[in-house]
Amino acid sequence: MDKHINLVKLCVGAERVEDLLLWQQTPRAHGPDGLPRHVTRMWPKRGEELLNGGSLYWVFKGLILARQRLLRLDEVLGGDGITRCALVLDPEVHRTESVPRRPFQGWRYLKPEDSPADLAEARQHEDTLPPELSAALAEIGVR
């Protein structure tokens, strides 16, 4: 596959992957095509690389714990007349190894080599560990 890049973003208002899954079941989380999306103010300058196999990695309470493949970038006109970017996501959420991430605003690019691996298929449906325990394990290198 050609070169791709990922995004990393805080999952605001969610403490666990299960919170994201519940949110994405609501109609407000979907675009007109029924796919989950996240609307952001800034348009990624590296859109072509993102759509060449990139994913959005979600940070929960200081840990990357999940990702969703990016399908496309849509223009969305807000009620305030400002055009924004909708990150249209694959509905399948993949749990990843726990990787600590310091707080930041907006989103950041994440190189593939710096991206956490997906959990094994057998672990994809496990409940998330408490954030404090996940952080402690990630800090000592246990994933």
Side-chain angles (χ1 to χ4, degrees):
M1 177 177 277
D2 291 328
K3 185 177 174 184
H4 77 274
I5 193 82
N6 300 306
L7 290 179
V8 61
K9 176 152 186 20
L10 301 180
C11 197
V12 177
E15 294 189 6
R16 306 171 318 136
V17 176
E18 291 78 11
D19 297 332
L20 173 66
L21 296 172
L22 286 172
W23 162 251
Q24 288 192 353
Q25 291 174 10
T26 68
R28 287 188 57 200
H30 297 149
D33 58 4
L35 291 171
R37 66 183 184 163
H38 177 77
V39 178
T40 182
R41 288 183 302 165
M42 303 301 291
W43 193 278
K45 290 178 174 52
R46 298 174 74 177
E48 191 172 310
E49 291 173 83
L50 289 170
L51 299 177
N52 196 24
S55 291
L56 174 60
Y57 284 78
W58 291 107
V59 178
F60 301 83
K61 296 196 88 165
L63 295 168
I64 298 175
L65 294 176
R67 72 170 181 88
Q68 286 178 279
R69 194 166 53 88
L70 287 159
L71 300 179
R72 64 176 194 273
L73 307 174
D74 288 352
E75 273 191 22
V76 177
L77 186 62
D80 55 6
I82 296 174
T83 301
R84 293 180 171 80
C85 178
L87 305 170
V88 180
L89 305 166
D90 186 311
E92 187 173 1
V93 176
H94 301 270
R95 293 171 191 264
T96 66
E97 295 177 339
S98 299
V99 175
R101 192 69 184 209
R102 293 193 186 278
F104 59 94
Q105 290 188 352
W107 47 260
R108 300 286 185 268
Y109 291 110
L110 182 64
K111 295 177 186 173
E113 60 268 21
D114 296 334
S115 302
D118 289 354
L119 291 180
E121 185 60 36
R123 296 188 57 204
Q124 281 294 319
H125 303 289
E126 290 179 2
D127 286 341
T128 305
L129 292 173
E132 299 78 21
L133 180 57
S134 288
L137 291 172
E139 206 165 289
I140 63 171
V142 178
R143 298 178 181 177

